[in-house]
Amino acid sequence: MMRATSKQLSAYMKRTAFFISDGTGLTAETLGQSLLAQFENITFNKLTRPYIDTVDKARGMVQQINTAAENDGARPIIFDTIVNQEIRDILAQSNGFMIDIFSTFLAPLEHEMSSRSSYSVGKSHSSAHSANYMQRIEAVNFALDNDDGARTQYYDRADLILVGVSRCGKTPTCLYMAMQYGIRAANYPLTEDDMERLQLPAALKTYRHKLFGLTIDPERLAAIRHERRANSRYASFDQCEFEVREVEMLFKRENIAFIDTTHFSVEEISAKILVEKGVERRLK
Amino acid sequence: MMRATSKQLSAYMKRTAFFISDGTGLTAETLGQSLLAQFENITFNKLTRPYIDTVDKARGMVQQINTAAENDGARPIIFDTIVNQEIRDILAQSNGFMIDIFSTFLAPLEHEMSSRSSYSVGKSHSSAHSANYMQRIEAVNFALDNDDGARTQYYDRADLILVGVSRCGKTPTCLYMAMQYGIRAANYPLTEDDMERLQLPAALKTYRHKLFGLTIDPERLAAIRHERRANSRYASFDQCEFEVREVEMLFKRENIAFIDTTHFSVEEISAKILVEKGVERRLK
C-alpha cells in the first residue's frame, strides 16, 4: 500500500469508510452509503465489517482503522451499530471518526415512548425476518415458478404481473420485490407475436388489474441483449427499437401503467411500482 | 377505525411509525426498523411512504400522520430522509415525533470532511446502483442459470458454490447475494445418491475452495418440504433427518465450512458466508 503525501492529498480527496456491526451490517451500510453519497467530491473506500462481536475482533478492527488512517492521511469514517459497550469502547480508541447510530437516536426515542429499549442490534433483522421467513421463501418460489411466462394458471395468486419486452428487467424486479417485500410477482414477456396481433395475450386479459409494464431505452436494451446473444437479430438496435415502440403503444392503448427502467435501480423500480399499484408489502 | 381510550392504552402500547422519503424509502425503513426493534413491548404499525417529493404529497402525509395520532392516542414516530426544506417544513407541522436522519448526521460529517454535502437523498441509490446495474443483473442471471445443479460447466466463473440438501435455503441465499452484493453464487443439491457414495460429486471436487455448506433442522426441513410435496417420503421427518445427518457428516469429513440456517434470515446467512469465505462484494 502506498502512503499518500500531503501533496497528493491536495490533488484528490480519498477517505476510507467502515460500516461496522455485531450483526449483518446492513443498517450501518445502508445509512452510511446514503450519507456518504452526499459528498460527491470525495472518493470513499467502503468496507463492511459484520459480526464484530468479540473484544478480539474489535482489537483487530482498531488495527485496520489505524492502518487506513495512516495510508489515507485522514481519519476513516466509522458507522457503527454495535450494542456491547466494551466493544464500542475499544473501537472508540481507534483513530477514526465515529458516527454512533444507535446511541444518537435511541435516547430521544426512549424519552418519547417512555420506555427503555433493549438496545440489542441484530435482533431487528433476525426477529423481524425469521417471522417472515416462509412468506419470503414462498414469494421467491412464486417469482421463480412464474418467471418469463413459464405458466399462467397461478395468476389468480399473483399480487402483480410485470409485462414488457425480453430483457427489460422483469425478472430481477420480481425477485427483488419477493425478497424485500414478500410480494408475489409473476412476469410475462411480450414477444413479436403479441405485438403483431396488437392486443394483450389472452392469459393476461383476465388479470388486467394486476398488470404493470416495464419499458427501456432501445440502445440500452440492445447492449443488454448483446451480452446474451451477440450480433443476433434479437440484439440489433432496429429490432429493439421496433419492440419497444410497439409495446409502449400497447401499454397506452390498453391503459396499462408503465415505467421506463433505463435510469432506475431495481430498488427504485420496485418502490415506484408498489406506490403506483397501491400494493401493500407482505413482510412486516 | 376505533379510537383508543386511555383505559385501553394502559393495557397495551400501540404506535404508528412512518418511514418517509423522497426516494425509495429504503434508508429510512432500514434504520427505522432497527431502532424500533429495540422496543419490544410496543407494537408498531409500520408504514413506508416513498417518493414524497411534492408539497401536495407532503400535505397528504400530514393528514395521514394526524389521523394516526388521533386513532392511536399517541404521536406517530416519523423517520425521514427528505432533502427539500419546504417539504420537511410541512411535515414538521404534523402531530408526529420526527427523527430527522439526514440533518442529524450531515452537519458533523461536513465538519469532519471540511466539505459541503450535496444533501440530496435518492442520489445515493440511483447513482450507486445504476453504476452497478450490469454487475448485478449478471450476478442474478448467473444464480438463475446455475441454480439447483442445473449445469456445472461454469463453476470456474462462480465466486461461491452453495451445497446442501434440497430445500435448505440455497436458492434464496444465492439470489440475495447476487442482488445485494453482486456475488456470483451457484448452488448444487446433495441428493441421496451423493450421500450413499459418501463422497463429493465429481463436479464439485475441482472447486472445493468455493464450496460452502448449508444445513437445517430436520423438523423445519420437513415442514418446508411438506409445503411443496405434502405427505411424500421426500417430506417425511425420517427422510429429512437421514439426509441432514449424512450431509453434515460429509461436510465434516470433507472439511467444508457450513452453517445451520434454521434460525437465521437470508441476510444473516449471506453476511456470515461472506465473512467465513473472505469473499469481497462486487458492488461498491
Side-chain angles (χ1 to χ4, degrees):
Chain A
M1 277 192 258
M2 220 179 54
R3 186 171 307 190
T5 66
S6 47
K7 206 165 180 183
Q8 286 177 305
L9 276 175
S10 65
Y12 69 99
M13 288 281 280
K14 184 177 163 294
R15 280 275 183 127
T16 302
F18 288 94
F19 311 125
I20 306 178
S21 171
D22 48 12
T24 59
L26 284 175
T27 301
E29 190 174 290
T30 303
L31 179 59
Q33 292 267 26
S34 287
L35 290 168
L36 296 181
Q38 310 307 314
F39 296 90
E40 293 180 351
N41 300 325
I42 304 175
T43 305
F44 294 98
N45 181 26
K46 298 168 194 163
L47 302 169
T48 305
R49 294 294 178 256
Y51 298 110
I52 303 301
D53 49 12
T54 66
V55 164
D56 274 357
K57 289 184 191 170
R59 293 213 179 98
M61 276 311 311
V62 171
Q63 289 187 347
Q64 288 183 46
I65 294 165
N66 291 349
T67 302
E70 245 190 86
N71 290 333
D72 296 348
R75 295 198 284 185
I77 313 293
I78 319 287
F79 298 90
D80 94 273
T81 55
I82 287 178
V83 178
N84 185 290
Q85 187 63 46
E86 200 182 352
I87 293 177
R88 290 162 67 217
D89 287 347
I90 293 169
L91 287 183
Q93 291 163 22
S94 76
N95 188 16
F97 178 74
M98 306 264 294
I99 294 281
D100 190 336
I101 298 170
F102 270 62
S103 67
T104 305
F105 287 130
L106 281 175
L109 279 172
E110 289 183 349
H111 183 258
E112 169 67 17
M113 296 196 265
S114 310
S115 177
R116 302 296 301 169
S117 73
S118 57
Y119 206 102
S120 50
V121 189
K123 221 160 204 175
S124 149
H125 292 108
S126 50
S127 66
H129 288 242
S130 70
N132 288 319
Y133 188 86
M134 292 298 277
Q135 279 277 27
R136 222 175 174 192
I137 298 297
E138 265 178 48
V140 170
N141 286 337
F142 188 89
L144 292 172
D145 293 343
N146 298 278
D147 185 39
D148 208 31
R151 58 186 197 188
T152 57
Q153 69 266 41
Y154 296 107
Y155 283 0
D156 57 325
R157 291 181 53 220
D159 295 315
L160 283 168
I161 304 162
L162 300 191
V163 290
V165 301
S166 168
R167 296 283 145 189
C168 68
K170 298 183 299 298
T171 300
T173 306
C174 286
L175 288 170
Y176 182 82
M177 290 195 291
M179 200 77 81
Q180 183 76 16
Y181 302 123
I183 299 284
R184 295 195 192 113
N187 75 80
Y188 190 100
L190 294 172
T191 60
E192 243 177 302
D193 282 354
D194 302 317
M195 291 169 210
E196 279 165 15
R197 269 190 283 121
L198 289 172
Q199 58 175 358
L200 271 184
L204 299 180
K205 282 189 178 160
T206 325
Y207 300 101
R208 184 184 293 269
H209 58 294
K210 297 185 180 185
L211 301 183
F212 194 91
L214 300 186
T215 186
I216 186 170
D217 174 68
E219 267 185 62
R220 175 67 174 273
L221 181 62
I224 292 170
R225 287 184 172 185
H226 195 76
E227 294 276 316
R228 279 255 144 171
R229 270 190 251 161
N231 303 316
S232 61
R233 172 162 168 276
Y234 169 79
S236 71
F237 176 78
D238 284 354
Q239 178 64 20
C240 291
E241 212 244 340
F242 165 74
E243 290 188 25
V244 167
R245 192 178 56 230
E246 290 295 313
V247 161
E248 289 184 5
M249 275 164 51
L250 180 72
F251 291 158
K252 284 170 192 161
R253 204 166 51 237
E254 295 282 347
N255 209 14
I256 297 168
F258 68 99
I259 56 172
D260 184 337
T261 65
T262 313
H263 300 292
F264 296 121
S265 67
V266 173
E267 285 86 344
E268 289 167 321
I269 297 164
S270 302
K272 283 170 194 284
I273 293 172
L274 295 194
V275 169
E276 182 84 28
K277 297 294 284 182
V279 171
E280 283 295 328
R281 56 199 67 200
R282 287 174 183 272
L283 304 183
K284 291 296 163 195
Chain B
M1 276 191 258
M2 220 179 54
R3 185 172 307 193
T5 66
S6 48
K7 206 167 178 181
Q8 285 176 307
L9 276 176
S10 65
Y12 70 99
M13 289 281 282
K14 184 177 162 295
R15 279 276 182 125
T16 302
F18 287 94
F19 310 125
I20 305 179
S21 171
D22 48 13
T24 60
L26 285 174
T27 301
E29 189 174 292
T30 304
L31 179 60
Q33 291 267 25
S34 288
L35 290 168
L36 296 180
Q38 310 307 313
F39 296 90
E40 294 181 350
N41 300 325
I42 304 175
T43 305
F44 294 98
N45 181 27
K46 298 168 194 163
L47 302 170
T48 305
R49 295 293 179 256
Y51 299 110
I52 303 301
D53 49 11
T54 66
V55 164
D56 273 357
K57 289 184 190 170
R59 293 211 179 97
M61 277 309 313
V62 171
Q63 289 188 346
Q64 286 184 46
I65 294 165
N66 291 348
T67 303
E70 245 190 82
N71 289 334
D72 296 350
R75 296 199 283 186
I77 314 293
I78 319 288
F79 297 91
D80 94 274
T81 55
I82 286 178
V83 177
N84 184 289
Q85 186 63 44
E86 199 183 353
I87 293 177
R88 289 162 68 217
D89 287 347
I90 294 169
L91 287 182
Q93 292 163 19
S94 75
N95 188 16
F97 178 73
M98 306 263 294
I99 295 280
D100 190 336
I101 298 169
F102 270 61
S103 68
T104 304
F105 287 131
L106 281 175
L109 279 173
E110 288 183 348
H111 183 256
E112 169 67 17
M113 295 195 267
S114 310
S115 177
R116 302 296 300 169
S117 73
S118 58
Y119 206 101
S120 52
V121 189
K123 222 160 202 175
S124 148
H125 292 109
S126 48
S127 66
H129 288 240
S130 71
N132 288 318
Y133 189 86
M134 292 298 278
Q135 279 278 26
R136 223 177 172 191
I137 298 297
E138 264 178 47
V140 170
N141 286 338
F142 189 89
L144 292 172
D145 293 343
N146 298 278
D147 185 40
D148 208 31
R151 57 186 199 188
T152 58
Q153 69 267 40
Y154 297 106
Y155 283 1
D156 56 326
R157 292 182 51 220
D159 294 316
L160 282 169
I161 304 162
L162 300 192
V163 290
V165 300
S166 166
R167 297 283 144 189
C168 68
K170 299 182 299 298
T171 299
T173 306
C174 286
L175 287 171
Y176 183 82
M177 289 195 292
M179 200 79 79
Q180 184 76 17
Y181 301 124
I183 298 284
R184 294 195 192 114
N187 75 79
Y188 189 99
L190 295 171
T191 60
E192 243 177 302
D193 282 354
D194 302 316
M195 292 171 210
E196 278 164 16
R197 271 190 281 120
L198 289 170
Q199 58 174 357
L200 271 185
L204 298 180
K205 282 189 179 162
T206 325
Y207 300 100
R208 184 183 293 268
H209 58 293
K210 298 186 180 185
L211 301 183
F212 194 90
L214 301 186
T215 186
I216 186 170
D217 174 67
E219 269 186 60
R220 175 70 173 273
L221 180 61
I224 293 169
R225 288 184 172 184
H226 195 77
E227 294 275 316
R228 278 256 143 169
R229 269 191 251 161
N231 303 315
S232 61
R233 173 163 167 275
Y234 169 79
S236 72
F237 176 79
D238 283 354
Q239 177 64 21
C240 291
E241 213 245 338
F242 166 74
E243 289 186 26
V244 168
R245 192 178 55 230
E246 290 296 313
V247 162
E248 288 185 5
M249 275 165 50
L250 180 72
F251 290 158
K252 285 170 192 162
R253 205 167 52 238
E254 296 282 348
N255 209 15
I256 297 168
F258 68 99
I259 56 171
D260 184 336
T261 64
T262 314
H263 301 293
F264 296 121
S265 67
V266 173
E267 285 86 344
E268 290 168 321
I269 297 164
S270 301
K272 282 170 195 284
I273 292 171
L274 295 193
V275 169
E276 182 86 27
K277 297 295 283 184
V279 171
E280 283 296 329
R281 56 200 66 199
R282 286 174 184 271
L283 304 182
K284 291 296 161 196

